[in-house]
């Protein structure tokens, strides 16, 4: 395992399995007395909004006996242009771990390079690895296994999609992606995958034989100015009941949230019997406890 968790590629198949198993144990309540972060202080540097990731990581830190400090760049010297390499060295001399949500993946990489302590990616424009770890925990919890997993990704080839590509490559499950033209994942990300990741032209084709249907917003954070154009370009790419009806009867529907009901997904599907979306959100707390335990050494 690497010092940092910047993409899922920093983890092995065994690491991912261990995080899922440990997350499930945290959820069952059998690890209440495990205080792996006793005496540790974790910094959260968030450059973009967050409800789930921020709060679940803060609570996970407290439950594991540690302290969390939340920092917005605008409150620090980062906003006034202090170089990342200086910030990283200073903060990592006070803190035991850094959880970072920002725009550019290369800025996160630079921070990690100069940080003495582990850096965990809490979302960049390119990846959202922690999301997929709690998602996989949820899939395992709901299906009882990760075997024979066939994931259909419908919509934007964004950060969450890229992390699903990484997961499919490491765990070797089938991932079929339907993205409107010009919204596919970047060629270099697609090039770095195994053959079980494929692109198809329509959502209908993608969901055939799927065990999981996953979607996300059409305009991610940082792309808000493209919202109007994207709403036009994504017409016909909504996850609605008629799409679910084309899939396996046991298909499960996932979304990382926040969702825009009536755009990428209908209210009916979100609230319907195939949705495991709220379990996904809840499980972030337990998966994050497991991630922290693995990444932050005693
Ligand atoms: N899914 C997710 O990362 O949600 P937040 O943006 O609320 O953290
Ligand atoms: N793709 C979304 C995920 C939010 C958790 C975004 O980046 O805004």
């Amino acid at each position: 395992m690497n010092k940092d968790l910047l993409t899922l590629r920093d983890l092995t198949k065994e690491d991912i399995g261990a995080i899922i198993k440990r997350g499930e144990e945290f959820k069952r309540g059998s690890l209440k007395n495990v205080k792996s972060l006793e005496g540790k202080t974790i910094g959260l540097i968030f450059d973009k909004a967050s409800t789930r990731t921020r709060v679940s990581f803060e609570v996970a830190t407290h439950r594991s006996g540690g302290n969390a400090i939340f920092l917005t760049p605008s409150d620090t010297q980062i906003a006034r242009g202090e170089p990342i390499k200086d910030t990283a060295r200073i903060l990592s001399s006070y803190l035991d771990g850094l959880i970072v949500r920002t725009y550019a993946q290369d800025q996160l990489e630079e921070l990690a390079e100069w940080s003495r302590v582990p850096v965990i990616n809490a979302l960049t424009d390119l990846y959202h690895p922690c999301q997929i770890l709690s998602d996989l925990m949820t899939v395992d919890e709901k299906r009882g296994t990760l075997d024979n997993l066939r994931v259909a990704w419908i919509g934007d080839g964004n950060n969450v999609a890229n992390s699903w590509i990484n997961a499919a490559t490491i765990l070797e499950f089938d991932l079929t992606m339907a993205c409107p033209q010009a919204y596919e994942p970047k060629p270099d990300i697609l090039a770095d995958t195994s053959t079980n990741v494929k692109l198809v032209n329509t959502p209908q084709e993608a969901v055939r034989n799927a065990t999981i249907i996953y979607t996300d917003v059409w305009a991610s954070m940082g792309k808000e100015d493209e919202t109007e154009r994207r709403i036009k370009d994504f017409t016909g790419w909504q996850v609605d009941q008629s799409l679910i009806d084309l899939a396996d009867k046991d298909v499960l529907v996932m979304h990382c949230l926040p969702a825009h009901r009536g755009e990428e997904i209908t209210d009916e599907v979100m609230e319907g019997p195939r949705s495991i979306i709220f379990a996904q959100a809840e499980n972030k707390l337990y998966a994050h406890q497991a991630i922290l335990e693995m990444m932050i050494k005693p």
Side-chain angles (χ1 to χ4, degrees):
M1 197 188 38
N2 292 340
K3 167 182 140 296
D4 308 297
L5 173 46
L6 307 184
T7 87
L8 282 180
R9 300 301 283 266
D10 288 314
L11 301 175
T12 62
K13 184 175 184 169
E14 289 68 35
D15 294 332
I16 294 176
I19 288 169
I20 293 170
K21 187 166 168 282
R22 202 67 175 163
E24 289 170 349
E25 284 171 2
F26 277 117
K27 187 168 186 176
R28 277 199 294 276
S30 50
L31 303 175
K32 277 206 177 74
N33 298 324
V34 174
K35 302 289 175 200
S36 62
L37 297 184
E38 194 90 71
K40 307 273 184 203
T41 306
I42 308 298
L44 289 94
I45 307 176
F46 277 47
D47 219 350
K48 293 176 173 175
S50 171
T51 298
R52 282 147 286 268
T53 309
R54 174 192 171 172
V55 177
S56 58
F57 261 123
E58 286 200 32
V59 175
T61 303
H62 293 306
R63 286 199 181 177
S64 298
N67 292 307
I69 298 180
F70 184 75
L71 297 157
T72 49
S74 57
D75 297 329
T76 67
Q77 300 289 3
I78 300 170
R80 296 179 61 244
E82 184 163 17
I84 290 175
K85 62 181 182 180
D86 294 358
T87 305
R89 277 177 288 185
I90 309 306
L91 288 181
S92 66
S93 69
Y94 308 144
L95 298 165
D96 301 289
L98 288 165
I99 301 171
V100 181
R101 172 169 286 200
T102 190
Y103 292 86
Q105 182 76 14
D106 57 5
Q107 294 212 344
L108 182 78
E109 283 166 11
E110 189 184 348
L111 185 82
E113 195 186 320
W114 289 93
S115 166
R116 285 199 234 152
V117 299
V119 174
I120 297 173
N121 181 354
L123 182 147
T124 61
D125 290 345
L126 212 54
Y127 294 112
H128 196 0
C130 297
Q131 178 67 46
I132 278 58
L133 292 169
S134 49
D135 291 345
L136 287 169
M137 174 187 156
T138 311
V139 172
D140 188 55
E141 174 185 78
K142 297 294 175 188
R143 292 181 71 242
T145 177
L146 292 180
D147 292 348
N148 301 318
L149 190 58
R150 293 182 303 276
V151 178
W153 175 272
I154 313 294
D156 191 22
N158 62 16
N159 43 9
V160 178
N162 292 340
S163 286
W164 271 107
I165 292 173
N166 289 165
T169 307
I170 300 164
L171 302 182
E172 298 173 306
F173 58 80
D174 288 346
L175 173 64
T176 304
M177 314 185 79
C179 313
Q181 217 177 357
Y183 296 100
E184 298 96 348
K186 289 194 177 72
D188 59 325
I189 289 179
L190 283 172
D192 188 25
T193 61
S194 43
T195 50
N196 52 339
V197 178
K198 63 174 187 197
L199 282 177
V200 294
N201 294 322
T202 64
Q204 289 73 18
E205 210 179 328
V207 302
R208 203 171 299 140
N209 300 321
T211 47
I212 303 290
I213 296 175
Y214 202 114
T215 192
D216 186 14
V217 289
W218 292 339
S220 286
M221 289 181 275
K223 302 271 184 205
E224 290 86 353
D225 57 337
E226 298 177 15
T227 302
E228 218 171 302
R229 177 158 60 81
R230 284 173 174 256
I231 287 177
K232 283 197 194 99
D233 292 346
F234 282 80
T235 302
W237 295 76
Q238 186 182 63
V239 174
D240 61 10
Q241 194 55 46
S242 67
L243 192 67
I244 307 297
D245 290 342
L246 297 177
D248 217 86
K249 67 170 179 28
D250 299 324
V251 74
L252 299 172
V253 179
M254 303 182 78
H255 190 310
C256 56
L257 300 177
H260 290 172
R261 286 170 163 85
E263 290 183 16
E264 76 278 2
I265 192 165
T266 60
D267 181 64
E268 182 188 17
V269 170
M270 272 197 71
E271 304 293 345
R274 307 315 315 151
S275 165
I276 56 168
I277 291 169
F278 292 95
Q280 255 181 282
E282 180 187 343
N283 285 340
K284 286 170 82 80
L285 171 59
Y286 307 109
H288 290 171
Q289 267 194 283
I291 292 168
L292 287 168
E293 185 182 56
M294 183 178 274
M295 301 298 303
I296 312 292
K297 297 292 167 239

